[in-house]
Amino acid sequence: MRYNQQVSTNIAQLKEKIEAATCQQDLVRTIRSLENHPGPLDYNDKLWVVISMLFLGLGGLTLFSIFSRSLPYEFDYWLRVVLIYSQYWLPLVATVLWQLWREEQGKVRFLSRHFKTPSQRVVVVAGVTLALVLIPYWGALYWGALQILTLLVSGGGFASSELGLPMLLVVSGGIIWWRSYRRKHWRRPLSERISLLDILFNNGLKALPFKRKEKAKELGQQFKEFIRGNDLREIQHLYQGHYEGGLHSFDYRLYRFHYVVRRTETYTDSKGNTRTRVVRNSYYRHGLLLHFPFARGLSLEGGSGISFSGEEYTTASNEFNRLFSVRADKEIAAARFLSPAVIEAMLAMASEYSRPVLEINVRGDLCFAFNNDDMLEYKRHYNLENPVEFASEIAKHDELKKLDGLLFQMHNLMRLTDNNFEL
C-alpha cells in the first residue's frame, strides 16, 4: 500500500513539473530525469489483477452455466455454493478493496486518528463489514438489491438476482482490470501531453483558458458555424498564435469544436415489441478564428449542412458554384470579395479541406472551419517508456506543416482582397 502510494506521489510530482514547463528545455530535462529516477514509478497491482480475474472468471462461468446448462454437475454445484454464500464474502472483499484504494489515495483521516497503520485500518473495516453481514435480514437486503440492479440494467424488462450477481461480478472485474491496465500504462497519456506541449512551444501557440460549453455558446452568437447539433456543443481545444506574413500579420485562434446530434429511433426488441430509444452521434470540426478587415457579412459554405441567411450569389465559375454556396448581406460584398484569384484560392482550399466553411461576420471576424485534419496532429515514434529516445525526439524543432499551410492560405486571402475595401 505504501509502495503504491509512493508511486502515485512520484507520478504526481512528474506531472506537476511537466505542467510547469515554460519551454522545450524544461520538458527535455523532466524526461531525462526518468532515466535514473530515485523513487519507484511502476505500480504493484498483482492483487488487483488477481481479484479482477477472479471476478471476471466467476461471473463469466456463472453466466455460461445459466444460459448453457452444460457444466459438469459437481462443478456447477460448487459454483452455486460459492455464489449463494457471496452475501457474506462479496461485501467483505468489496470493503477491503475499497479501504486499500483509500489507503493508496491517502484518504484515511478519520480512521488514522485511532489506528496508525494501514493493516490495522483494513482489519477494522473488515470487522465492521463482517458484523453487518451477520445481522438478521441481511440476505434479503442483499438479494433484493441484486434484483433491483437487473431491473435497472434491463430497463424494467426483468428482475433476477440469479443474473444480477454474475453481472455485478463481471462489471466489477472489468472496472478493476481497466484501472490496473491504465496504471500500468500511465506513461502513454503523459507522453501525449508532453508531445502536445512541445508542439505548442515550437509553433508559438498558447493554450487559452475557457469553459467548454460557455465558449461554444459565445462563438455561436458570432458565427453560425457553431450552431450545430441539437444536444451538446462544446469547444474542446483553443490555442492562440501569431502569424507574420510578407504583407500582413495577424493573431489567430485554433480550435476544435465538438457537437452532438440527438435523435429518437424505433426498434423491435427480442420479444417483438416496438420500442423507442434515444441515439446520440458525435461530430468534430476544426478551424481558425481571426480578424479579417477586408470583407464583412459574407459566407461560403462547402457542403457542411449549414443554411446561411442573406442574398444568394453565383459566380462565373461552374466548378466553384458546384462546391460552394455563397450568401452575403449585400450582393456587392460577395462580388468584390470573389475575384477570379480568390475563387481559384478557394477551389484549392476545397480540395484540401473536407466540407469547408468560410464565414465573415459583420464585425470583420473570420471563421474558417472544416471536418478533417487536426492541425496539431504530430506523430511520435517514442514515449516515456523509452525516455532517452523520447528526450532526443522532443529536443528537435517540430513544425506543424498543416497549420503553416492553412495560415499561408489565410494570408493569401488577405493579400488578394486588401484592396477591395477601405480598412
Side-chain angles (χ1 to χ4, degrees), residues 52-66:
S52 69
M53 292 297 103
L54 288 175
F55 278 18
L56 288 170
L58 186 58
L61 280 174
T62 305
L63 290 174
F64 181 77
S65 174
I66 291 173

Side-chain angles (χ1 to χ4, degrees), residues 72-107:
Y73 173 78
E74 294 81 2
F75 189 89
D76 186 66
Y77 170 79
W78 286 109
L79 178 62
R80 293 185 179 276
V81 169
V82 171
L83 295 177
I84 289 172
Y85 283 96
S86 67
Q87 68 183 60
Y88 302 113
W89 63 259
L90 183 57
L92 186 63
V93 171
T95 52
V96 168
L97 292 177
W98 176 73
Q99 182 60 30
L100 290 175
W101 176 81
R102 287 175 59 86
E103 292 289 343
E104 289 186 9
Q105 302 298 315
K107 300 178 180 180

Side-chain angles (χ1 to χ4, degrees), residues 15 18-19 27 187-200 207 237 239 390:
K15 291 179 178 179
I18 291 170
E19 294 301 326
L27 295 176
R187 291 173 175 83
R188 296 178 184 178
L190 191 56
S191 300
E192 293 177 1
R193 178 60 179 169
I194 292 173
S195 182
L196 173 61
L197 291 175
D198 179 57
I199 287 295
L200 297 181
H237 306 301
Y239 304 102
F390 190 46

Side-chain angles (χ1 to χ4, degrees), residues 244-263:
E244 286 287 344
L247 295 176
H248 300 282
S249 62
F250 54 87
D251 294 324
Y252 65 89
R253 288 175 291 169
L254 181 68
Y255 70 85
R256 183 187 188 189
F257 175 48
H258 170 226
Y259 66 96
V260 176
V261 176
R262 183 186 70 250
R263 58 186 175 85

Side-chain angles (χ1 to χ4, degrees), residues 103 231 240 302 363:
E103 292 289 343
D231 194 71
Q240 181 173 320
R363 296 188 298 181

Side-chain angles (χ1 to χ4, degrees), residues 45 91 200 216 245 256 323 407:
D45 280 344
L200 297 181
R256 183 187 188 189
L323 294 174
L407 293 172

